[in-house]
Amino acid sequence: MKWFIRGVIGLVGLLLVGGFALSFVSLNDFKPEIESAVEDATGRKLVITGDLNMGFSLVPTLVATDIRFSNAAGAKGPHMVTAQLLRVKFDLLSLLGDKPNILGVALKDADIWIETNRAGVGNWNFYNGKKISPAVVAEETNSQTNQLSDVPPLWARNVVVHYFDGVTQHLTEVTLSELNAEPRGARIDLSMVGELNADAVVFSALIGQEGETFSAQNLLLSYNGLDISGSVTGRNSVPGRRGRLTGTLDIETLDVGSLLAEAVSVEEVVEGEGTAELFSSDPLPFDLLELADAELTVNIGQLSYQNFELSSLAVPVSLLKGRLEVPLTAAYAGKDLSLAFKARGGENAGVDIKFDAPEFDLGRFLDEADVTNLIEGRAWVAVDLKGTGHSLKEIVGSLNGSTNVVGGRGTIGTKAIELIATDLVWALVPKGSKDDGKAQMTCSLTAMEFKQGVGEFTAFALVTDRMRTSGKGELNFKDETVNMSLYPSPNDPSLLSLSTTIRVTGAMGDPRIYPDTGALLVDIATAVGAGVFTGGIGAILPMISLDSFE
């Protein structure tokens, strides 16, 4: 037994001495042989510009600096990997065998391209320059079983990863300030901090994979103002078959306003140069719909827009063959509402929206959305619109469908009446000390029919205790203009002569509101001729706005 113990001690000593000796050997002399061996095995060129050496401890470590590994032919990135530092730790005893056991990999200041070509073949497939048919590649890809247990621990700092999908031509870039991957049996405990397409991202999950199927348990993701947690399972994309994702995700808060801000560009008006476009011409990310299929349940704790909030939402999300469907039911101000959103990519890209709220608190919504606080009351709101195009401008410029808003009793503020007919405020809403600046609203009705981006008012009515206002006209989303005529009529018969037509015209972002000059002059002449006002023409002047026209 003694000879066995002595033999083991001798072997360990020999390995230690050998490993120590390696630390004094200049591996730079072997760089040409290493580069040539890699090219023979992969068909790709490896260049080690910096030093190559073996650091020594009880864990031998190979250190290479300033390396470049070429990409596949025709790939988007010039190199698959460039790095300023690569450090690989080995199991000492495994160096005696045919396959060294890697105990850890460290990467620093690196740039990595992971991509597929138009046939779906990844640049991680090495065929040593041989031409392999797509059928063979698909067969090999389908038969592969990824053993995550064989993946060594990975430590990375300041690494940029580019993922290019050659099938969809979509490029995603991730900048990793820190990444750690630690094997946990058949899974990997992965965490990273960095940026995704220039927005901060934090991610962690317990990743598992067997063949084409993968899973992410205990998932935590923070990106672009979103905090997402949950668990998902999926299937990898392979040539001829898209990937698939299923599971449940929880979102603490979802700010719709911040998402819309990326799609809608409203710029300041430059004096003398008119108004900027309300709707952006930038392409919307419809290509994301082609990445994979999905069946997810998304639980949203709080959904907000401006000051408007919904809570406790359960949203089923279905994405199949590039078509997204999101039906939503929720409660707002104690009343139910439903929203069905659909989006589709490809040549016929566009969106469909259906919204139905029988008892919607319109006044509260307009106030919380920072539109106006001059209206109080509920309304039935129904929207059914469809649009096509690859940008928000194209979509709104092609809208077809209808919108209907029917309001019941409520109140409307003086300033809102001023927007309709400045001339009538003095008569209809007296400025006495008892006046609260509000008129009692009996009912309201707005109905529009959209055809190719032009919405025509099929009905418009506003009835208060002091006046009735009807209207007609159109909203043109193609050129972002409005052209409306409003016809106010006082309930007091003695003031009927002041029923002056009001015009609303010009750009949607900065409309011009003014009385119809011809109609107003006729009204004034009628009022004077009929002797409605006994104080002469001067008695009429406080009731009309002369600064709106010459």
Side-chain angles (χ1 to χ4, degrees):
M1 190 65 177
K2 292 182 179 180
W3 65 267
F4 177 74
I5 296 176
R6 291 174 180 174
V8 171
I9 294 175
L11 177 60
V12 172
L14 181 62
L15 289 173
L16 290 173
V17 172
F20 182 73
L22 282 175
S23 65
F24 293 97
V25 176
S26 175
L27 297 183
N28 288 323
D29 297 336
F30 297 96
K31 284 197 297 186
E33 287 78 3
I34 295 174
E35 293 171 347
S36 178
V38 171
E39 187 170 3
D40 290 341
T42 65
R44 313 274 184 86
K45 190 173 183 62
L46 173 68
V47 177
I48 305 175
T49 306
D51 290 330
L52 180 65
N53 57 74
M54 178 72 78
F56 178 74
S57 65
L58 291 178
V59 182
T61 304
L62 178 67
V63 181
T65 60
D66 195 5
I67 63 174
R68 296 191 302 273
F69 183 58
S70 64
N71 213 337
K76 191 175 183 67
H79 296 91
M80 185 176 180
V81 178
T82 63
Q84 289 300 312
L85 174 67
L86 173 64
R87 185 166 60 240
V88 183
K89 294 183 178 181
F90 298 93
D91 179 5
L92 185 60
L93 291 175
S94 71
L95 295 176
L96 299 176
D98 296 332
K99 184 180 179 182
N101 182 23
I102 299 176
L103 299 179
V105 177
L107 197 62
K108 186 177 181 181
D109 299 328
D111 193 86
I112 301 174
W113 279 85
I114 301 174
E115 53 185 299
T116 61
N117 58 22
R118 290 189 176 274
V121 180
N123 65 341
W124 54 87
N125 291 306
F126 305 105
Y127 298 105
N128 195 17
K130 298 178 182 179
K131 292 185 178 180
I132 307 296
S133 68
V136 172
V137 174
E139 182 179 352
E140 291 186 3
T141 302
N142 291 334
S143 63
Q144 288 177 349
T145 299
N146 296 312
Q147 298 293 337
L148 293 183
S149 58
D150 294 337
V151 177
L154 174 64
W155 174 91
R157 298 293 184 271
N158 301 326
V159 176
V160 179
V161 180
H162 315 264
Y163 175 70
F164 180 71
D165 190 322
V167 178
T168 63
Q169 297 292 294
H170 179 73
L171 175 64
T172 301
E173 294 185 343
V174 180
T175 301
L176 301 174
S177 57
E178 181 178 343
L179 180 144
N180 293 287
E182 193 74 28
R184 295 285 186 267
R187 298 179 178 180
I188 289 182
D189 191 353
L190 176 66
S191 65
M192 66 180 189
V193 177
E195 294 182 350
L196 173 61
N197 295 330
D199 289 313
V201 60
V202 177
F203 175 87
S204 65
L206 190 61
I207 306 296
Q209 183 160 357
E210 183 176 354
E212 300 170 13
T213 303
F214 65 88
S215 64
Q217 306 295 324
N218 304 326
L219 183 150
L220 294 173
L221 171 64
S222 178
Y223 172 66
N224 197 22
L226 289 178
D227 293 312
I228 303 175
S229 61
S231 298
V232 297
T233 59
R235 183 188 66 213
N236 291 328
S237 299
V238 296
R241 189 177 66 186
R242 71 177 68 230
R244 183 175 177 82
L245 190 66
T246 60
T248 300
L249 298 175
D250 299 318
I251 301 177
E252 275 189 36
T253 59
L254 177 61
D255 186 354
V256 177
S258 64
L259 297 179
L260 292 179
E262 298 181 2
V264 183
S265 175
V266 182
E267 301 180 4
E268 294 183 359
V269 178
V270 180
E271 187 175 354
E273 296 184 4
T275 58
E277 291 185 345
L278 287 177
F279 305 105
S280 173
S281 299
D282 295 336
L284 294 171
F286 285 112
D287 52 348
L288 296 178
L289 302 179
E290 302 293 339
L291 294 180
D293 294 336
E295 291 287 343
L296 296 169
T297 297
V298 182
N299 300 312
I300 305 175
Q302 184 180 79
L303 182 147
S304 63
Y305 174 71
Q306 303 287 2
N307 295 320
F308 167 77
E309 294 181 354
L310 293 175
S311 59
S312 302
L313 305 176
V315 185
V317 178
S318 175
L319 178 58
L320 183 63
K321 296 181 179 179
R323 293 181 175 271
L324 174 67
E325 295 187 11
V326 184
L328 164 68
T329 58
Y332 177 65
K335 301 297 180 181
D336 294 335
L337 59 84
S338 64
L339 170 68
F341 175 82
K342 297 181 180 180
R344 56 197 175 276
E347 296 181 358
N348 298 318
V351 299
D352 302 348
I353 296 177
K354 285 188 177 182
F355 179 78
D356 186 44
E359 298 181 76
F360 190 66
D361 194 333
L362 184 61
R364 175 175 170 176
F365 172 75
L366 294 176
D367 184 18
E368 292 180 342
D370 286 340
V371 176
T372 179
N373 60 357
L374 300 175
I375 296 175
E376 296 179 5
R378 292 184 178 272
W380 171 58
V381 181
V383 177
D384 187 357
L385 294 173
K386 297 180 179 181
T388 58
H390 291 83
S391 69
L392 193 59
K393 184 175 181 63
E394 290 178 356
I395 291 172
V396 299
S398 63
L399 284 177
N400 290 295
S402 63
T403 63
N404 293 276
V405 180
V406 181
R409 291 188 176 276
T411 62
I412 184 168
T414 298
K415 292 183 179 180
I417 298 176
E418 288 176 351
L419 295 177
I420 300 174
T422 306
D423 323 349
L424 298 176
V425 175
W426 185 84
L428 300 182
V429 185
K431 299 300 182 182
S433 59
K434 295 182 179 180
D435 177 39
D436 60 359
K438 296 181 179 180
Q440 295 301 311
M441 187 166 54
T442 304
C443 66
S444 62
L445 170 63
T446 302
M448 297 186 69
E449 289 290 336
F450 282 86
K451 293 182 179 180
Q452 294 302 312
V454 179
E456 181 179 356
F457 284 92
T458 57
F460 183 92
L462 173 63
V463 180
T464 72
D465 57 342
R466 290 166 178 164
M467 74 174 185
R468 305 178 305 277
T469 301
S470 61
K472 66 178 182 179
E474 67 178 28
L475 299 178
N476 190 325
F477 284 98
K478 287 185 176 181
D479 55 20
E480 300 181 1
T481 60
V482 57
N483 184 12
M484 287 186 63
S485 296
L486 302 176
Y487 308 101
S489 177
N491 292 342
D492 187 344
S494 66
L495 298 175
L496 288 179
S497 58
L498 289 184
S499 302
T500 304
T501 300
I502 305 299
R503 304 293 186 194
V504 183
T505 62
M508 288 182 181
D510 187 25
R512 183 179 175 222
I513 304 174
Y514 59 95
D516 185 304
T517 306
L520 178 60
L521 293 178
V522 171
D523 291 342
I524 293 175
T526 302
V528 174
V532 173
F533 300 100
T534 59
I537 190 70
I540 303 176
L541 295 182
M543 301 183 185
I544 61 177
S545 301
L546 297 179
D547 58 349
S548 299
F549 61 99
E550 296 180 0

